[in-house]
Amino acid sequence: MKILVTGGAGFIGSAVVRLAVSRGHKVVNLDALTYAACLENVAPVADSPLYAFEKADIRDPKALAEIFARHKPDAVMHLAAESHVDRSIDGPGAFIETNVMGTYNMLQAARSFWEAEGRPEGFRFHHISTDEVYGTLGPTGQFTEETPYAPNSPYSASKAGSDHLVRAWHETYGLPVVLTNCSNNYGPYHFPEKLIPVVILNALAGKPLPIYGDGSNVRDWLYVEDHADALLLVLEKGALGRSYNIGGENERSNLELVRTICAILDRLRPAKQPYAEQITFVTDRPGHDARYAIDPTRIREELGWRPSVTVEEGLERTVRWYLENEDWWRPLLERHGVGERLGKA
Ligand SMILES: NC(=O)c1ccc[n+]([C@@H]2O[C@H](COP(=O)([O-])OP(=O)(O)OC[C@H]3O[C@@H](n4cnc5c(N)ncnc54)[C@H](O)[C@@H]3O)[C@@H](O)[C@H]2O)c1
């Protein structure tokens, strides 16, 4: 299959690109190379004859039409997005432009191409979204695919808007779509502005490990390579027009998570003091959702998928990867806004 992956130079998109090429798919990686992108993320497949790169912006409809016409993909996996909640608080406009308008442009380009090709049955537009569209949970319960949308941040609101557009393009124009809403990812190549790499790299640098509020916010952590595997499965086997929640079955509070990372680092790279002594509680993020948890019944029962690693195994792999890949992360610390406290509003 020839798959047009948008956002393939980012964290999750690059995991999808690496996995898809390793499974013999042709991949066209369309990415604008924003501050969050890194072409080294796809270096393992960059020389493959199965791989092509297109530097393009999903806010540019002409560029998209040209890329569809030239590459004639069998499927689209749409991951390109502004993805950092704290940045969405400081500058929501970019999130509306890329996540809402950019998705609209992708849908229109895909639809025109699909119609021009005679509406091939096997074509798929897979929209990759987040569990944050459902808002926040109390101490119990889980998000199902039927949970009403109630996004609380500009980021999650922009992703919710894009999900609605995708659904509407299926209902109105018959575009063959599938959607996925996933919990928090972590793993290799995670951009060093997100919690887990921040904690690993600050710990190694002897800097404070910032935890928002009291650290009680709970997330359902999913190893990025498990996510990529689930995404390819939904693309190939998911029912048309259907959405699938993808979770790690690994709920942890932020404080528990950071303590686990510290314990791994104490073992792998012991310092004079336990790393947990660097934990510092900082002002909370406005609108910070208390808890996310995914009910994965649909993807498990319909498609037979479940995550392959526990959060402890995945964190150990991740910490080892950061210890071994300083050449990758060191230059990224110089990028705009990295290392600063963003999103205090
Ligand atoms: N990170 C998570 O935990 C998580 C969880 C669930 C869903 N998601 C979703 O998965 C997708 C990928 O997330 P990520 O964490 O890999 O993000 P990321 O920020 O690491 O990567 C985003 C990529 O999109 C590209 N991009 C941004 N704006 C673009 C534009 N206008 N045109 C073309 N390319 C553009 C960037 O250059 C970058 O390579 C997003 O849609 C996000 O909403 C992320």
Side-chain angles (χ1 to χ4, degrees), residues 85 88-89 131-137 143 149-158 160 285-292:
V85 176
S88 83
I89 294 168
D131 63 352
E132 300 190 28
V133 298
Y134 299 122
T136 188
L137 289 167
F143 298 133
Y149 276 29
N152 289 317
S153 73
Y155 163 67
S156 53
S158 69
R285 167 192 283 166
H288 200 180
D289 291 333
R291 178 170 165 262
Y292 304 138

Side-chain angles (χ1 to χ4, degrees), residues 9-12 31-32 34 37 57-58 79 83 98 129 155 159 182 185:
F11 169 49
I12 302 171
D31 199 296
T34 70
D57 196 313
I58 61 168
L79 296 101
S83 71
T98 284
S129 191
Y155 163 67
K159 291 296 293 188
C182 180
N185 282 219

Side-chain angles (χ1 to χ4, degrees), residues 205-239:
K207 291 183 181 166
L209 311 182
I211 297 192
Y212 291 177
D214 61 4
S216 61
N217 304 68
V218 172
R219 302 290 180 259
D220 176 3
W221 292 95
L222 176 63
Y223 192 60
V224 67
E225 291 171 9
D226 275 343
H227 187 197
D229 177 57
L231 292 178
L232 283 174
L233 181 66
V234 171
L235 181 73
E236 289 175 41
K237 304 260 167 66

Side-chain angles (χ1 to χ4, degrees), residues 262-284:
C262 289
I264 295 170
L265 278 168
D266 286 337
R267 199 159 28 80
L268 298 181
R269 185 67 65 84
K272 282 190 193 128
Q273 322 260 319
Y275 287 102
E277 291 187 13
Q278 290 167 231
I279 291 174
T280 312
F281 295 93
V282 299
T283 320
D284 208 353

